[in-house]
Amino acid sequence: MTYLFRNSVRVVIVILMLIASVVTSSAAEGGRASGTFESGDIAMKVTDAYAFYGTPSLGGKEKVIVVVVSNSAFIKTVIDKYWDRKSALERFFKDEKTGLVYFEFGLDGRYRGLSYYFGSGNGCGYCADPAVESTVRLKNNKMSGKLSFPKGSDPNRWFELSVNVLISGDDHGKPQGAGGGEPGKAYAAYHKALSGKDQRQLKPLLAAERRTTWEKAEAEGSGAKFIAFLREEHPKSARATEAYVEGDHALVLYEGTGEEGKIRGEARMIREQGSWRFEEETFNPVK
């Protein structure tokens, strides 16, 4: 069977995809996982894995080790830059031809369960099937071993996988304190300008690449669509709570409100000509 997402929806505007704009596809290494994952009428040939510390799919503040596998190669150095790695993967990596399956382990390396979504009626918010066999072990910050769910254990799903992947750390740079310091102020200025009517105030707050994209859109008569997209992907209100700086790059964390209530998000900022400027952002509802 050919792996294909028939019901997924992807925002195909690469201007705000850090993965696409910062590195080329050649930076994707691959080879950190192999095997097959089948669910329903979809078969995914697994070719790579990425591991990070996250929170359980069922909720809670405890930490778990998440090993996510895919039929496409991951760009580790780019995904590492995000605070909420799962959100970034779902938003910027997954598409109609690229699938993701998340396996959760305790901090001792023991398997707990999995989650994935291939389409309507084909997925699992969290499955902890006792028939899953795991030889995966945690050693020297690496998850290595095999995961298998024999055919017949579930009429809709089976898999046979091998993983050998380092766990990414949580060091995002030097913390700037409450409010996010200068990067936080720059994000606040971006939020104010984007919410206002004078677009001339917005342009100098955007990273050079974003300004170039805007100018090209204006030349083609679609400048208004560019601004509309920025606003659609931005919360109604936002307040920077912290920021982390590494060289000329910063990660700003913020809280606010969206169309459906409270949200938490993160924004990537870059320092150009001595000023912090906006690159891209993502946010999710507070559960």
Side-chain angles (χ1 to χ4, degrees), residues 152-166:
S153 299
D154 186 300
N156 299 311
R157 177 174 61 251
W158 79 271
F159 53 86
E160 187 76 38
L161 308 170
S162 293
V163 300
N164 184 31
V165 57
L166 283 169

Side-chain angles (χ1 to χ4, degrees), residues 83-156:
W83 184 269
D84 186 342
R85 273 84 179 260
K86 185 173 183 178
S87 177
L89 287 166
E90 289 289 318
R91 182 179 176 84
F92 298 131
F93 187 80
K94 181 178 177 180
D95 62 19
E96 68 280 358
K97 294 183 179 180
T98 304
L100 298 170
V101 179
Y102 301 88
F103 293 93
E104 294 182 12
F105 299 81
L107 296 182
D108 58 359
R110 293 187 179 184
Y111 175 75
R112 290 189 174 186
L114 63 83
S115 62
Y116 66 99
Y117 180 78
F118 285 174
S120 179
N122 191 346
C124 177
Y126 185 77
C127 290
D129 302 286
V132 172
E133 299 174 359
S134 173
T135 65
V136 176
R137 297 294 182 265
L138 170 62
K139 185 177 181 180
N140 297 327
N141 200 46
K142 178 180 283 190
M143 298 293 284
S144 301
K146 296 183 178 181
L147 287 162
S148 63
F149 192 43
K151 288 185 177 180
S153 299
D154 186 300
N156 299 311

Side-chain angles (χ1 to χ4, degrees), residues 13-17 21 209-210 213 226 229-230 279-280:
I13 301 189
V14 297
I15 53 173
L16 296 183
M17 289 186 180
S21 65
E209 185 177 353
R210 306 296 175 248
T213 303
F226 177 88
F229 175 74
L230 289 181
E279 286 190 306
E280 54 92 19

Side-chain angles (χ1 to χ4, degrees), residues 77-78 80-82 85 169-176 183 243-252 268-271 276 279:
T77 54
V78 172
D80 285 352
K81 295 180 183 295
Y82 290 89
R85 273 84 179 260
D170 289 332
D171 184 5
H172 294 281
K174 184 179 180 180
Q176 303 299 293
Y244 298 86
V245 173
E246 187 173 11
D248 289 327
H249 296 274
L251 172 66
V252 176
R268 298 296 311 177
M269 310 290 287
I270 185 170
R271 184 159 44 197
W276 287 105
E279 286 190 306

